[in-house]
Every structure is written in C-alpha cells, then in structure tokens.
Amino acid sequence: MTAASENQRVINLAFTGASGAQYGLRLLQCLVAAGCRVHVMVSKAAQVVIATETELKLPGNTPAMQEALASYAGADPGQVLVFGREDWFSPPASGSGEKAPLVICPCSTGTLSALATGASNNLIERAGDVALKERRQLILVPREAPYSEVHLENMLRLTRMGAVIMPASPGFYHQPQSVNDLVDFIVARLLDHLGLPQALVPRWGEERLKAKHSD
C-alpha cells in the first residue's frame, strides 16, 4: 500500500443476499471514482445474487474476487481490498481498526436480524456490530417487499441504535429514463450521507435555484 493510499478516506462496503446487487456495485464504482479506499465484504448469498442479477461472476477465493471487483470499479492498485467472511484480523472486525463508515448494500433481512440482536457469525455481522458499539456511521439498504412485523421491528431497533435505514426505494421526481437512473437515485443519496460529492442526480430545488440566479 502506498503512502498516498493511506491518506485516502476509507469506506467499508458489504454485499449481502438481498436483491439489488446493482446498487452496491454502482456505489463501489462511485466510491472508487471519488478517490476512496474501499474495504469490501461479500456474503455467499451475495455472490449468488450478483451472478443472477448482473453479468459479473465473482470468483470464490478472496484474492481473485478482489482483482475482479477492482477491475470492475476501475480502481487503482490497493484501492479496493476484499476481506474473507471469517477474516477476524481485518480492520472492520475491531473497534481498534480504522474508523470508517459501513454501508451494507443491499442488506438482507437476515443481516438486519443479526445486527439487531448482536450476532457476529461472520465478518459482515461483526463489522456491523463494531459500527454500532463504536457509534460509527452505519447505513443499511434493505430491499424487500412487503416488510413483515419482524423486519420493521428490527429496522426500528437499529434506527434507535444509531443506524440509518435507507430502503432501496428510488424516487421518480427526477424523471428517470432507465433502470440505471433509478439505481443512481439511491446511490446519490448514499453518497450524500457519506459526505461525498455526487453529480448523479440533481438535489431537490437545485434547478429552481439555478433558474432564480439566471433571472
């Protein structure tokens, strides 16, 4: 890892087995484009979903997966790091590791349940547990319909713990013309919450302000 990469902002990004792999993959591209170093975690179910919903087929072993995701996102060497499902010595696994936000995108209802009850059966769950106990930024992007009472209770519990629940429910006021536009709507909101610049979707009221200034 170069000295320059050590000064990059770090974002932890986890993929779990909910539908909506496109949201997480697009977010990965945008984080790389923004110059962030991204620590990636991928569940077994997420690998199946990614292969089902996209043309990307991730290898099973961690080094090959890292190479595939780095290539997909157009990352520089060392900018995308993939950690295995039981890599307990990785930075996201401990509160004494790098202080970084965690985005789980998409977030399965099983992962919601694990985080709401303090389970740490794999690295993604442990990273979420660390984010909660250390009061770090934790953004969860569930994609399910309809939500059961259990799902809603878990989301409420996690919200009270400090997590942000951002369902993959894109708006339409920006008049999307494609599926990619709908994906970008959610990714733009995620980038906003992470404090990163984005030009994917105009912010509410921007066009009106521009019109006023041009008068």
Side-chain angles (χ1 to χ4, degrees):
M1 190 178 301
T2 65
S5 67
E6 291 177 355
N7 296 323
Q8 291 173 316
R9 186 175 178 196
V10 178
I11 305 292
N12 295 325
L13 173 61
F15 295 79
T16 61
S19 179
Q22 295 88 340
Y23 293 107
L25 291 172
R26 179 62 169 146
L27 178 59
L28 175 62
Q29 289 179 325
C30 291
L31 292 175
V32 166
C36 297
R37 179 155 47 93
V38 190
H39 293 169
V40 179
M41 295 158 277
V42 182
S43 72
K44 287 184 179 180
Q47 277 188 267
V48 175
V49 172
I50 290 170
T52 301
E53 296 185 342
T54 76
E55 296 181 355
L56 182 63
K57 303 295 188 286
L58 293 180
N61 69 82
T62 300
M65 185 185 297
Q66 178 172 296
E67 183 177 351
L69 286 173
S71 175
Y72 178 88
D76 293 331
Q79 192 177 3
V80 171
L81 302 177
V82 175
F83 297 109
R85 300 177 187 100
E86 295 184 346
D87 189 349
W88 307 118
F89 290 97
S90 63
S94 175
S96 61
E98 289 180 282
K99 185 178 181 180
L102 169 62
V103 183
I104 302 181
C105 179
C107 181
S108 68
T109 54
T111 302
L112 281 175
S113 175
L115 295 179
T117 55
S120 295
N121 296 315
N122 55 54
L123 181 59
I124 294 175
E125 293 172 6
R126 173 58 184 168
D129 192 50
V130 167
L132 290 170
K133 78 183 185 69
E134 299 291 329
R135 303 294 193 267
R136 295 176 185 171
Q137 189 175 21
L138 173 61
I139 306 175
L140 309 174
V141 186
R143 211 303 311 162
E144 187 60 85
Y147 291 119
S148 73
E149 182 176 352
V150 172
H151 302 153
L152 294 170
E153 286 179 345
N154 286 333
M155 284 189 271
L156 177 60
R157 182 176 298 176
L158 286 163
T159 298
R160 287 172 172 166
M161 292 179 189
V164 171
I165 307 295
M166 190 180 299
S169 303
F172 289 82
Y173 53 77
H174 64 307
Q175 299 182 341
Q177 302 299 306
S178 66
V179 172
N180 288 339
D181 289 343
L182 296 174
V183 171
D184 279 354
F185 182 94
I186 296 299
V187 173
R189 297 288 287 128
L190 290 167
L191 294 171
D192 277 342
H193 275 260
L194 292 169
L196 293 168
Q198 67 85 15
L200 300 177
V201 177
R203 290 183 177 82
W204 183 260
E206 276 186 343
E207 296 299 323
R208 189 170 183 180
L209 283 176
K210 288 178 183 178
K212 280 183 175 292
H213 287 307
S214 65
D215 290 342

